[in-house]
Amino acid sequence: MAHAHTIEANPHWLPLNPKRTVEHIPGENGWPLVGNTLKLLKDPVTFGNGMVARYGQVYRNNAFGGPTIQLIGPEANELVLFDRDRLFSSEQGWGPMLNLLFPRGLMLMDFDKHRADRRTLSVAFKPEPMRHYAEQLNRGIARAVSEWQGKPIRFYDAIKALSLDLAAESFLGMELGPEATRINKAFVDEVQASVAPIRLPIPGTAMHKGVKAREYLMNLFLREIPKRRNGEGQDFFSLFCRAVDEDGQPLSDQAIADHMNFLMMAAHDTITSSATSLIMLLGRNVEWQDKLREEIASLGLNDDEGVPYGQLDRLVLTEYAFKEALRMVPPVPSMPRRALRDFEFRGYKIPAGSFVGISIAYTHRMPEHWPEPEKFDPMRFTPEASRGRHKYAWVPFGGGAHMCLGLHFATMQIRILMTHLLRRYRIELAPGAGESWQYFPIPRPRDGLPVRFVPTR
């Protein structure tokens, strides 16, 4: 049986190359069957640093079932992400990892089909819907943050639960209620399955749990679509259901459900990761808490007032701090593609059909682009400091045609979160909090980031 993530099940994909076609690229094969998969999952930062040190900024690695050519640095990011010549397939890059879980999601589409669906979905990110989401985020965040006062919490767990609730309201237009725990677990199971060493949905495996989770979520979305098509809801889901393409045709039920499954995962898991890294870094750099608190105070908000959508752009230092957190802990550390035609990079000829990857996390810490890369310094992102820096040295949201559709929503949610947190509290980390992180599939602190929010007055 050919499963959805295999080349056999996708005859429009390029056939698999013999391994010898990339053996001229320096690198290593690792252990039989698993290659370097376990090493990569255990400590991807040390592993990646070691490979670059040994083999340079173009190297071959064998993991997750076959060889991948890693291209390192801003120039590689630009080549792959901007993709001027349509050399790279996102579908065939992500597909072997995600096709059993998130098939036909926006990230797993290429070229004209991707452009058409992206344009249709973008209706949910126009100014009026964004203003509506800002009001919902202000209410939901204020309600949750008021309950965090003084007591020790694991921030990752708290913000994950909140992000799911916020995504349910803004994306689904529904309160999760008693289904919340099951929905949250389903998304966790899908994401964990995406990097499971066993890639087949054999009962008892993480992939089997992920596939079952997808079935549950798809049924949830599909049963809601008919009433959303005829309603007036302003949530993402309802807007998608009523959206039409360039020919005036609505998306199919299956397409809507596939997009919702992918976007709900992306909306709450990546924001959970990036909010956690920002809180950790502000907890370690108290002077930046004070700077952001002063900026928030300058808005002149009443104690119970949320930050209006029209004032979000005034939180400039808050945006810089968020960008610096994304530099230090990008929520998507690497991105895969597949070469559709032969190409050359840094003197190496790489054949069509090769799996190609870029390392966002490595690029974000290259000292030639980021002096003192281990230092938390939001002022790197001022216009003056950014001038002359390679455009693709900072790519937490990807780039080119596949730039994250929800990047403005994510930035808005973080600005609103910081407003409600810092005007009320000081961030105090527990000793050693956040010292060890699991980086795949989406970064999270192994200890959950123990933190206490102490009232400022």
Side-chain angles (χ1 to χ4, degrees), residues 134-239:
E135 294 172 2
Q136 294 178 319
L137 291 172
N138 270 300
R139 288 195 301 269
I141 290 172
R143 185 171 59 246
V145 162
S146 66
E147 299 174 357
W148 294 349
Q149 179 174 323
K151 58 186 179 185
I153 63 172
R154 295 184 183 274
F155 183 77
Y156 180 87
D157 299 334
I159 194 64
K160 185 171 178 60
L162 173 58
S163 293
L164 180 65
D165 287 342
L166 296 173
E169 188 173 6
S170 297
F171 279 60
L172 292 179
M174 58 191 286
E175 293 184 9
L176 291 180
E179 265 195 309
T181 300
R182 188 174 179 190
I183 290 174
N184 197 12
K185 185 177 186 306
F187 283 120
V188 169
D189 287 346
E190 282 188 311
V191 172
Q192 291 298 325
S194 69
V195 293
I198 298 174
R199 307 306 299 160
L200 299 176
I202 300 167
T205 64
M207 183 59 78
H208 185 260
K209 289 173 64 177
V211 168
K212 288 297 181 185
R214 169 182 162 75
E215 290 177 6
Y216 160 70
L217 290 167
M218 293 296 286
N219 287 333
L220 173 71
F221 298 136
L222 287 168
R223 72 171 182 253
E224 285 282 323
I225 289 173
K227 64 183 178 185
R228 301 305 181 94
R229 287 196 187 277
N230 300 312
E232 298 180 354
Q234 295 304 304
D235 55 276
F236 284 37
F237 192 10
S238 296
L239 291 171

Side-chain angles (χ1 to χ4, degrees), residues 418-436:
M418 290 299 106
T419 298
H420 286 282
L421 272 176
L422 294 177
R423 69 198 291 200
R424 291 173 170 85
Y425 305 129
R426 294 193 320 275
I427 302 166
E428 295 186 356
L429 299 180
E435 287 187 356
S436 175

Side-chain angles (χ1 to χ4, degrees), residues 268-284:
H268 92 276
D269 265 353
T270 55
I271 289 178
T272 294
S273 176
S274 53
T276 302
S277 61
L278 178 56
I279 290 297
M280 178 186 72
L281 291 163
L282 291 175
R284 294 176 180 174

Side-chain angles (χ1 to χ4, degrees), residues 363-376:
T363 305
H364 281 189
R365 291 176 181 257
M366 294 177 73
E368 58 266 46
H369 304 289
W370 307 101
E372 298 184 87
E374 302 302 320
K375 179 183 178 182
F376 179 71

